[in-house]
Amino acid sequence: MQPSGTLLFRAALALVLGGALGNAIDRSWQGHVVDFIHLHWREAYHFAIFNVADCAITAGAALLVVAEIKRSRAAA
């Protein structure tokens, strides 16, 4: 393994940090984060509201879990 982590681990961190930075920029420039994806099921169930930064953070967190599982399996 590379000393700085695998490519998967580094990509996951980049997504998380990039998403966090995107949200921070929105907050500092506009005072709030602009969301544009609102998932719902008819009028009964409203799931969540996302923006691109939120999607990047979510994908990065999922990839961090995958990278850790792969690392632990390789170490065993």
Side-chain angles (χ1 to χ4, degrees):
M1 177 158 56
Q2 301 169 5
S4 59
T6 64
L7 179 61
L8 180 62
F9 179 76
R10 289 182 289 174
L13 282 181
L15 284 169
V16 171
L17 293 174
L21 183 61
N23 278 339
I25 289 171
D26 269 358
R27 277 206 194 279
S28 66
W29 286 355
Q30 298 180 11
H32 63 281
V33 176
V34 177
D35 294 319
F36 65 89
I37 299 173
H38 182 191
L39 304 175
H40 60 90
W41 173 252
R42 299 186 183 172
E43 292 300 319
Y45 182 72
H46 293 268
F47 175 64
I49 299 175
F50 291 103
N51 60 25
V52 173
D54 295 338
C55 294
I57 292 169
T58 303
L63 288 177
L64 282 173
V65 171
V66 171
E68 180 58 25
I69 290 170
K70 288 179 90 172
R71 187 197 63 78
S72 66
R73 285 187 180 168

